[in-house]
Amino acid sequence: MRNKIILFDINETVLNLKSLQPKFNDAFGSEEALSLWFSKLLHTSAVCVITNVKTNFSKLADAMLESTAENYDLQLSELKRNELLSAFSSLQPHSDIKDALSKLRSNGFKVVAFSNSSLSLISTQIKNSGLTSFFDEIISVEETGSFKPDPNVYKFAANVLGESVENLCLVATHDWDTHGALSVGLNAAYINRTDTPYHPFYLKPDIQSNTMDGIVDQIVEAYL
């Protein structure tokens, strides 16, 4: 990497979705509702990419709350839906994030928040999580009208940053995301937040770890 620029996926990679667990438990009466909702959200966004459905992440998140409610034979009020979506904008960071971002920046890396969420939502999430001063830039895919892992969104990020794709490295806890980045020429690093086996058919990054400290140490060693 000629220019040391590290992109970070936000939801689950940087911010901890588990802080939503009590609110989802209360709304749906199930410990599984949060993971069901988020998996529906990711699945639907991928289908939208493939079938060229134009929407945004906020609308999908709301629609998948309705879909999740149907799974539990419930009808969520507009107030309850807004409460859950609002909580999504106030996620707390994983405990290893601040030190990791600080170490990268102290070693000369530029760190960029890069998410499927709208620019407004990402900015709010970063502010509410106390990470504003830890990121150099924020990029949303919303201008593309698509979502990761569409190859075009990774190229879009490179264009925004004025860099070629091979000068970027994506850090993510979703193997479909690292695969998407690698498939268009970015470097990638996979942090296994959920103790889930990496998909055997996906391109695999050289940098992998169960902790963000481990990811950062490998990035520094590989690119300095």
Side-chain angles (χ1 to χ4, degrees), residues 11-12 17 36-48 57 60 64 116 147-149 174 176:
N11 297 313
E12 285 198 305
L17 282 181
L36 177 61
W37 169 72
F38 197 63
S39 64
K40 282 176 176 283
L41 181 55
L42 296 180
H43 173 79
T44 304
S45 66
V47 172
C48 288
F57 215 57
L60 287 183
M64 290 307 98
N116 278 339
F147 305 106
K148 296 186 288 181
H174 306 292
W176 51 263

mmCIF file of all heavy atoms in Angstrom, residues 11-12 17 36-48 57 60 64 116 147-149 174 176:
data_model
loop_
_atom_site.group_PDB
_atom_site.id
_atom_site.type_symbol
_atom_site.label_atom_id
_atom_site.label_comp_id
_atom_site.label_asym_id
_atom_site.label_seq_id
_atom_site.Cartn_x
_atom_site.Cartn_y
_atom_site.Cartn_z
ATOM 1 N N ASN A 11 -21.054 -1.114 11.696
ATOM 2 C CA ASN A 11 -21.967 -1.913 12.526
ATOM 3 C C ASN A 11 -21.425 -3.317 12.744
ATOM 4 O O ASN A 11 -21.170 -4.055 11.808
ATOM 5 C CB ASN A 11 -23.352 -1.965 11.869
ATOM 6 C CG ASN A 11 -23.979 -0.595 11.766
ATOM 7 O OD1 ASN A 11 -23.990 0.174 12.726
ATOM 8 N ND2 ASN A 11 -24.492 -0.252 10.589
ATOM 9 N N GLU A 12 -21.215 -3.657 13.981
ATOM 10 C CA GLU A 12 -20.637 -4.910 14.484
ATOM 11 C C GLU A 12 -19.111 -4.876 14.500
ATOM 12 O O GLU A 12 -18.497 -5.367 15.436
ATOM 13 C CB GLU A 12 -21.137 -6.145 13.718
ATOM 14 C CG GLU A 12 -22.556 -6.542 14.084
ATOM 15 C CD GLU A 12 -22.891 -7.955 13.681
ATOM 16 O OE1 GLU A 12 -22.724 -8.289 12.495
ATOM 17 O OE2 GLU A 12 -23.340 -8.738 14.550
ATOM 18 N N LEU A 17 -23.449 -4.223 18.543
ATOM 19 C CA LEU A 17 -24.906 -4.364 18.430
ATOM 20 C C LEU A 17 -25.559 -4.918 19.698
ATOM 21 O O LEU A 17 -26.762 -4.758 19.897
ATOM 22 C CB LEU A 17 -25.251 -5.291 17.256
ATOM 23 C CG LEU A 17 -25.188 -4.720 15.841
ATOM 24 C CD1 LEU A 17 -25.582 -5.785 14.841
ATOM 25 C CD2 LEU A 17 -26.091 -3.509 15.699
ATOM 26 N N LEU A 36 -32.047 -11.962 14.390
ATOM 27 C CA LEU A 36 -32.940 -12.212 13.255
ATOM 28 C C LEU A 36 -33.131 -10.940 12.442
ATOM 29 O O LEU A 36 -33.036 -10.957 11.204
ATOM 30 C CB LEU A 36 -34.289 -12.731 13.750
ATOM 31 C CG LEU A 36 -35.355 -12.967 12.679
ATOM 32 C CD1 LEU A 36 -34.905 -14.004 11.668
ATOM 33 C CD2 LEU A 36 -36.681 -13.383 13.327
ATOM 34 N N TRP A 37 -33.391 -9.825 13.121
ATOM 35 C CA TRP A 37 -33.579 -8.547 12.431
ATOM 36 C C TRP A 37 -32.337 -8.162 11.638
ATOM 37 O O TRP A 37 -32.438 -7.798 10.462
ATOM 38 C CB TRP A 37 -33.913 -7.453 13.441
ATOM 39 C CG TRP A 37 -33.858 -6.065 12.857
ATOM 40 C CD1 TRP A 37 -34.743 -5.518 11.977
ATOM 41 C CD2 TRP A 37 -32.868 -5.069 13.109
ATOM 42 N NE1 TRP A 37 -34.354 -4.222 11.667
ATOM 43 C CE2 TRP A 37 -33.209 -3.929 12.344
ATOM 44 C CE3 TRP A 37 -31.726 -5.024 13.920
ATOM 45 C CZ2 TRP A 37 -32.451 -2.761 12.358
ATOM 46 C CZ3 TRP A 37 -30.970 -3.857 13.935
ATOM 47 C CH2 TRP A 37 -31.333 -2.749 13.159
ATOM 48 N N PHE A 38 -31.176 -8.261 12.254
ATOM 49 C CA PHE A 38 -29.965 -7.802 11.570
ATOM 50 C C PHE A 38 -29.617 -8.717 10.399
ATOM 51 O O PHE A 38 -29.174 -8.241 9.348
ATOM 52 C CB PHE A 38 -28.793 -7.722 12.557
ATOM 53 C CG PHE A 38 -27.645 -6.895 12.032
ATOM 54 C CD1 PHE A 38 -27.803 -5.542 11.767
ATOM 55 C CD2 PHE A 38 -26.408 -7.472 11.800
ATOM 56 C CE1 PHE A 38 -26.746 -4.781 11.284
ATOM 57 C CE2 PHE A 38 -25.350 -6.710 11.308
ATOM 58 C CZ PHE A 38 -25.512 -5.363 11.056
ATOM 59 N N SER A 39 -29.831 -10.013 10.555
ATOM 60 C CA SER A 39 -29.563 -10.925 9.437
ATOM 61 C C SER A 39 -30.533 -10.663 8.282
ATOM 62 O O SER A 39 -30.152 -10.721 7.110
ATOM 63 C CB SER A 39 -29.653 -12.386 9.894
ATOM 64 O OG SER A 39 -30.961 -12.722 10.312
ATOM 65 N N LYS A 40 -31.803 -10.358 8.593
ATOM 66 C CA LYS A 40 -32.769 -9.987 7.552
ATOM 67 C C LYS A 40 -32.317 -8.712 6.840
ATOM 68 O O LYS A 40 -32.423 -8.595 5.612
ATOM 69 C CB LYS A 40 -34.158 -9.758 8.169
ATOM 70 C CG LYS A 40 -34.954 -11.012 8.502
ATOM 71 C CD LYS A 40 -36.249 -10.624 9.200
ATOM 72 C CE LYS A 40 -37.137 -11.820 9.476
ATOM 73 N NZ LYS A 40 -37.841 -12.287 8.256
ATOM 74 N N LEU A 41 -31.812 -7.766 7.607
ATOM 75 C CA LEU A 41 -31.362 -6.495 7.048
ATOM 76 C C LEU A 41 -30.209 -6.702 6.063
ATOM 77 O O LEU A 41 -30.219 -6.172 4.953
ATOM 78 C CB LEU A 41 -30.938 -5.568 8.190
ATOM 79 C CG LEU A 41 -30.442 -4.171 7.845
ATOM 80 C CD1 LEU A 41 -31.452 -3.401 7.016
ATOM 81 C CD2 LEU A 41 -30.117 -3.411 9.134
ATOM 82 N N LEU A 42 -29.232 -7.505 6.459
ATOM 83 C CA LEU A 42 -28.087 -7.763 5.590
ATOM 84 C C LEU A 42 -28.503 -8.567 4.356
ATOM 85 O O LEU A 42 -28.061 -8.288 3.241
ATOM 86 C CB LEU A 42 -26.997 -8.508 6.360
ATOM 87 C CG LEU A 42 -26.365 -7.743 7.531
ATOM 88 C CD1 LEU A 42 -25.297 -8.607 8.200
ATOM 89 C CD2 LEU A 42 -25.771 -6.415 7.084
ATOM 90 N N HIS A 43 -29.359 -9.568 4.565
ATOM 91 C CA HIS A 43 -29.816 -10.389 3.444
ATOM 92 C C HIS A 43 -30.579 -9.545 2.417
ATOM 93 O O HIS A 43 -30.334 -9.637 1.206
ATOM 94 C CB HIS A 43 -30.711 -11.516 3.961
ATOM 95 C CG HIS A 43 -31.358 -12.318 2.874
ATOM 96 N ND1 HIS A 43 -30.702 -13.297 2.167
ATOM 97 C CD2 HIS A 43 -32.625 -12.272 2.364
ATOM 98 C CE1 HIS A 43 -31.506 -13.827 1.268
ATOM 99 N NE2 HIS A 43 -32.682 -13.230 1.366
ATOM 100 N N THR A 44 -31.487 -8.707 2.915
ATOM 101 C CA THR A 44 -32.303 -7.896 2.023
ATOM 102 C C THR A 44 -31.457 -6.886 1.260
ATOM 103 O O THR A 44 -31.698 -6.631 0.068
ATOM 104 C CB THR A 44 -33.406 -7.165 2.811
ATOM 105 O OG1 THR A 44 -34.177 -8.120 3.536
ATOM 106 C CG2 THR A 44 -34.312 -6.383 1.891
ATOM 107 N N SER A 45 -30.466 -6.297 1.920
ATOM 108 C CA SER A 45 -29.611 -5.335 1.228
ATOM 109 C C SER A 45 -28.841 -6.015 0.110
ATOM 110 O O SER A 45 -28.655 -5.431 -0.974
ATOM 111 C CB SER A 45 -28.644 -4.656 2.207
ATOM 112 O OG SER A 45 -27.710 -5.565 2.753
ATOM 113 N N ALA A 46 -28.414 -7.264 0.324
ATOM 114 C CA ALA A 46 -27.712 -8.010 -0.723
ATOM 115 C C ALA A 46 -28.643 -8.309 -1.902
ATOM 116 O O ALA A 46 -28.240 -8.209 -3.064
ATOM 117 C CB ALA A 46 -27.141 -9.313 -0.156
ATOM 118 N N VAL A 47 -29.885 -8.659 -1.603
ATOM 119 C CA VAL A 47 -30.864 -8.915 -2.671
ATOM 120 C C VAL A 47 -31.110 -7.638 -3.474
ATOM 121 O O VAL A 47 -31.224 -7.667 -4.706
ATOM 122 C CB VAL A 47 -32.181 -9.454 -2.089
ATOM 123 C CG1 VAL A 47 -33.248 -9.536 -3.175
ATOM 124 C CG2 VAL A 47 -31.962 -10.829 -1.462
ATOM 125 N N CYS A 48 -31.177 -6.507 -2.782
ATOM 126 C CA CYS A 48 -31.377 -5.230 -3.478
ATOM 127 C C CYS A 48 -30.225 -4.941 -4.437
ATOM 128 O O CYS A 48 -30.435 -4.420 -5.539
ATOM 129 C CB CYS A 48 -31.512 -4.095 -2.465
ATOM 130 S SG CYS A 48 -33.067 -4.108 -1.552
ATOM 131 N N PHE A 57 -30.654 2.318 3.571
ATOM 132 C CA PHE A 57 -30.510 1.405 4.694
ATOM 133 C C PHE A 57 -31.553 1.673 5.786
ATOM 134 O O PHE A 57 -32.027 0.748 6.437
ATOM 135 C CB PHE A 57 -29.093 1.518 5.266
ATOM 136 C CG PHE A 57 -28.531 0.215 5.767
ATOM 137 C CD1 PHE A 57 -28.437 -0.883 4.931
ATOM 138 C CD2 PHE A 57 -28.069 0.092 7.071
ATOM 139 C CE1 PHE A 57 -27.905 -2.091 5.382
ATOM 140 C CE2 PHE A 57 -27.536 -1.106 7.526
ATOM 141 C CZ PHE A 57 -27.461 -2.194 6.685
ATOM 142 N N LEU A 60 -34.797 0.054 4.755
ATOM 143 C CA LEU A 60 -34.670 -1.397 4.904
ATOM 144 C C LEU A 60 -34.732 -1.799 6.374
ATOM 145 O O LEU A 60 -35.369 -2.799 6.722
ATOM 146 C CB LEU A 60 -33.347 -1.876 4.302
ATOM 147 C CG LEU A 60 -33.229 -1.904 2.781
ATOM 148 C CD1 LEU A 60 -31.874 -2.466 2.379
ATOM 149 C CD2 LEU A 60 -34.345 -2.729 2.156
ATOM 150 N N MET A 64 -37.513 -4.283 7.868
ATOM 151 C CA MET A 64 -37.147 -5.556 8.479
ATOM 152 C C MET A 64 -37.578 -5.654 9.944
ATOM 153 O O MET A 64 -37.724 -6.755 10.475
ATOM 154 C CB MET A 64 -35.641 -5.794 8.347
ATOM 155 C CG MET A 64 -35.182 -6.071 6.911
ATOM 156 S SD MET A 64 -36.112 -7.421 6.085
ATOM 157 C CE MET A 64 -37.323 -6.475 5.111
ATOM 158 N N ASN A 116 -22.757 0.956 5.016
ATOM 159 C CA ASN A 116 -23.979 0.945 4.215
ATOM 160 C C ASN A 116 -24.993 1.979 4.699
ATOM 161 O O ASN A 116 -25.912 2.347 3.964
ATOM 162 C CB ASN A 116 -24.642 -0.435 4.275
ATOM 163 C CG ASN A 116 -24.035 -1.425 3.300
ATOM 164 O OD1 ASN A 116 -23.403 -1.045 2.319
ATOM 165 N ND2 ASN A 116 -24.235 -2.707 3.562
ATOM 166 N N PHE A 147 -25.358 -1.040 -2.044
ATOM 167 C CA PHE A 147 -24.812 -1.423 -0.744
ATOM 168 C C PHE A 147 -23.607 -2.341 -0.938
ATOM 169 O O PHE A 147 -23.449 -2.974 -1.980
ATOM 170 C CB PHE A 147 -25.863 -2.177 0.089
ATOM 171 C CG PHE A 147 -27.160 -1.436 0.279
ATOM 172 C CD1 PHE A 147 -28.295 -1.815 -0.417
ATOM 173 C CD2 PHE A 147 -27.247 -0.370 1.161
ATOM 174 C CE1 PHE A 147 -29.496 -1.147 -0.256
ATOM 175 C CE2 PHE A 147 -28.444 0.311 1.333
ATOM 176 C CZ PHE A 147 -29.578 -0.076 0.630
ATOM 177 N N LYS A 148 -22.756 -2.401 0.082
ATOM 178 C CA LYS A 148 -21.747 -3.457 0.100
ATOM 179 C C LYS A 148 -22.471 -4.806 0.127
ATOM 180 O O LYS A 148 -23.500 -4.909 0.778
ATOM 181 C CB LYS A 148 -20.861 -3.329 1.351
ATOM 182 C CG LYS A 148 -20.036 -2.043 1.409
ATOM 183 C CD LYS A 148 -19.073 -2.051 2.588
ATOM 184 C CE LYS A 148 -19.801 -1.878 3.906
ATOM 185 N NZ LYS A 148 -18.884 -1.867 5.063
ATOM 186 N N PRO A 149 -21.996 -5.824 -0.579
ATOM 187 C CA PRO A 149 -20.694 -5.949 -1.255
ATOM 188 C C PRO A 149 -20.713 -5.677 -2.762
ATOM 189 O O PRO A 149 -19.923 -6.270 -3.494
ATOM 190 C CB PRO A 149 -20.338 -7.409 -0.988
ATOM 191 C CG PRO A 149 -21.660 -8.123 -1.054
ATOM 192 C CD PRO A 149 -22.662 -7.156 -0.458
ATOM 193 N N HIS A 174 -17.559 -8.998 8.812
ATOM 194 C CA HIS A 174 -18.431 -9.765 7.919
ATOM 195 C C HIS A 174 -17.590 -10.329 6.780
ATOM 196 O O HIS A 174 -16.984 -9.566 6.017
ATOM 197 C CB HIS A 174 -19.545 -8.881 7.360
ATOM 198 C CG HIS A 174 -20.341 -8.185 8.425
ATOM 199 N ND1 HIS A 174 -21.175 -8.867 9.287
ATOM 200 C CD2 HIS A 174 -20.411 -6.880 8.772
ATOM 201 C CE1 HIS A 174 -21.744 -8.012 10.115
ATOM 202 N NE2 HIS A 174 -21.289 -6.791 9.830
ATOM 203 N N TRP A 176 -18.519 -11.618 4.008
ATOM 204 C CA TRP A 176 -19.006 -11.191 2.700
ATOM 205 C C TRP A 176 -18.475 -9.802 2.345
ATOM 206 O O TRP A 176 -18.319 -9.471 1.167
ATOM 207 C CB TRP A 176 -20.543 -11.203 2.645
ATOM 208 C CG TRP A 176 -21.228 -10.475 3.758
ATOM 209 C CD1 TRP A 176 -21.737 -11.001 4.913
ATOM 210 C CD2 TRP A 176 -21.484 -9.065 3.833
ATOM 211 N NE1 TRP A 176 -22.286 -10.022 5.703
ATOM 212 C CE2 TRP A 176 -22.148 -8.826 5.061
ATOM 213 C CE3 TRP A 176 -21.233 -7.983 2.979
ATOM 214 C CZ2 TRP A 176 -22.546 -7.560 5.478
ATOM 215 C CZ3 TRP A 176 -21.630 -6.709 3.383
ATOM 216 C CH2 TRP A 176 -22.274 -6.514 4.612
#
